[in-house]
Amino acid sequence: MNPLLEVQGLIKYYPVGSRFSAQRRTLRAVDGIDLTVQPGETLGLVGESGCGKSTTVRLIMRLLEPTAGRILFDGQDMSSMSSAQLKVVRRRMQIVFQDPFASLNPRKTAGRIIADPLAIHRIGSAAERRSRVQDLLERVGLDRTHAERYPHEFSGGQRQRISIARALACSPQLIVADEPVSALDVSIQAQVLNLLQELQRDLALTMIFISHDLSVVQYVSDRIAVMYLGKIVELGPSQAIYYHPQHPYTRSLLSAIPLPDPTRREAIPPLESELPSPMNVPSGCRFHPRCPLATERCRHESPELRPVGTTLVACHNV
Ligand code: ADP
Ligand code: MG
């Protein structure tokens, strides 16, 4: 099967500091990422805050221009598309943001918010849009009558359901969910995750799901990509990453999660030091200053992703 999405050598650098100052430096937000997403699969993207997850998906959605790299959607290179072609592709990929308070316009009713993408793309008559909005409200577990209400009348979980309904309005193929449950109470998180999973299955959606929490990502993903300072350090089937992680960084992320699996590899203690700045990326393996397994080689030589068992791992020592 051809991938729905293919990302090749994706890079996003930001110049920081004054234009006139000698202090001008480069912030490497995304530093060379390759990914494929198959139709119908959920790919999880996990890593500490600041490692480049949101930048990666904003580049994929073309909300940001890449510094380098190619993004192919359904085999078509997005950088060579006309604005008319881009508009069509944008309809086929939709994003759900983390903060359901900031991402919904407080002056519009839920019905207007969900119908907006239909109006923008001139889909259906006004009456057809109204009936589509009602169907979508029910699809995400809300009530038809909720169309008349304003965002402040809903709870955080309900608002996230409205964001999901809006994302579904134009029947997209790809949904990008950028930390969709991170702002919600723990008791509500599972409900929203279950809804996303149900939709993914029923509508044969392809999904990229982001979280800084590996147990949340594992719950919904078929495959998981682990990011560290702008790069993917481990990529593989969800089960393998969760139960038998290879990369020392993934192993340290997992050590915070208690698992009753005796076959699990020896845990690496959770990281205490902070993520280095992407303005000052360490030499060699960028994880080496925090890695308990680091050797001299790791200081000089950047490891490439290579197959180890069922996963790809960028580490000299596994
Ligand atoms: P994540 O979503 O994993 O928390 P982000 O992709 O938001 O990480 O950010 C990655 C890095 O890029 C961070 O260090 C962030 O401060 C930096 N960054 C993001 N957007 C910009 C920008 N517009 N200008 C400069 N730096 C940015
Ligand atoms: Mg983010």
Side-chain angles (χ1 to χ4, degrees):
M1 213 176 342
N2 291 326
L4 181 63
L5 182 76
E6 227 177 321
V7 171
Q8 300 168 346
L10 193 63
I11 287 178
K12 181 68 181 178
Y13 291 164
Y14 289 107
V16 285
S18 156
R19 203 144 57 88
F20 307 106
S21 136
Q23 299 298 312
R24 196 165 164 75
R25 296 166 74 181
T26 301
L27 185 149
R28 297 196 252 164
V30 172
D31 206 7
I33 280 188
D34 299 289
L35 273 182
T36 57
V37 187
Q38 296 298 330
E41 87 165 333
T42 297
L43 177 76
L45 203 52
V46 71
E48 283 163 285
S49 174
C51 72
K53 305 180 296 296
S54 294
T55 306
T56 301
V57 291
R58 281 174 165 81
L59 291 164
I60 290 172
M61 305 286 299
R62 250 335 204 243
L63 299 170
L64 287 174
E65 277 293 311
T67 305
R70 292 212 306 166
I71 297 157
L72 302 153
F73 187 78
D74 218 357
Q76 271 189 296
D77 189 341
M78 289 178 67
S79 61
S80 59
M81 284 183 190
S82 66
S83 55
Q85 283 174 312
L86 260 184
K87 195 173 172 195
V88 174
V89 173
R90 284 228 169 90
R91 207 171 111 181
R92 296 167 70 191
M93 42 165 88
Q94 294 291 326
I95 189 161
V96 176
F97 293 103
Q98 169 172 359
D99 185 352
F101 293 87
S103 61
L104 303 180
N105 185 333
R107 283 182 290 276
K108 289 184 177 178
T109 61
R112 273 283 303 285
I113 289 169
I114 297 168
D116 263 353
L118 297 168
I120 289 167
H121 292 289
R122 299 174 200 279
I123 298 170
S125 63
E128 282 164 344
R129 282 178 212 155
R130 264 195 304 279
S131 115
R132 172 94 176 123
V133 165
Q134 296 188 331
D135 291 346
L136 285 163
L137 281 167
E138 287 186 345
R139 195 74 201 65
V140 298
L142 294 170
D143 194 274
R144 287 170 171 254
T145 59
H146 286 152
E148 305 309 320
R149 294 196 196 165
Y150 288 86
H152 74 265
E153 298 176 74
F154 295 98
S155 68
Q158 287 175 322
R159 285 178 195 225
Q160 212 49 322
R161 288 174 194 269
I162 294 169
S163 300
I164 293 167
R166 174 178 59 185
L168 292 175
C170 293
S171 309
Q173 287 166 291
L174 177 70
I175 294 265
V176 171
D178 188 355
E179 307 240 18
V181 300
S182 302
L184 303 178
D185 286 348
V186 173
S187 59
I188 308 295
Q189 289 189 2
Q191 296 172 15
V192 174
L193 289 178
N194 288 337
L195 170 66
L196 281 170
Q197 249 184 337
E198 216 179 278
L199 293 168
Q200 196 263 352
R201 206 176 44 230
D202 295 353
L203 307 175
L205 288 170
T206 308
M207 192 151 78
I208 300 179
F209 183 97
I210 297 181
S211 174
H212 60 273
D213 183 338
L214 189 50
S215 58
V216 168
V217 166
Q218 187 271 152
Y219 188 66
V220 296
S221 305
D222 300 304
R223 284 189 305 140
I224 295 175
V226 181
M227 271 187 85
Y228 187 78
L229 269 184
K231 266 191 179 308
I232 292 173
V233 296
E234 185 162 6
L235 173 68
S238 187
Q239 293 284 314
I241 299 277
Y242 198 65
Y243 292 103
H244 304 284
Q246 306 283 341
H247 197 284
Y249 179 61
T250 318
R251 287 160 67 189
S252 72
L253 285 182
L254 265 174
S255 62
I257 304 165
L259 275 182
D261 182 350
T263 66
R264 236 178 111 186
R265 286 188 76 148
E266 189 190 334
I268 283 183
L271 299 170
E272 279 162 16
S273 51
E274 291 205 358
L275 184 70
S277 162
M279 273 190 291
N280 214 344
V281 173
S283 65
C285 172
R286 53 195 66 205
F287 184 57
H288 88 255
R290 298 168 90 189
C291 182
L293 309 181
T295 61
E296 193 52 31
R297 183 182 179 195
C298 308
R299 276 178 251 286
H300 307 294
E301 202 181 313
S302 174
E304 296 295 321
L305 280 172
R306 65 187 169 85
V308 178
T310 55
T311 69
L312 295 172
V313 188
C315 176
H316 296 308
N317 299 319
V318 297

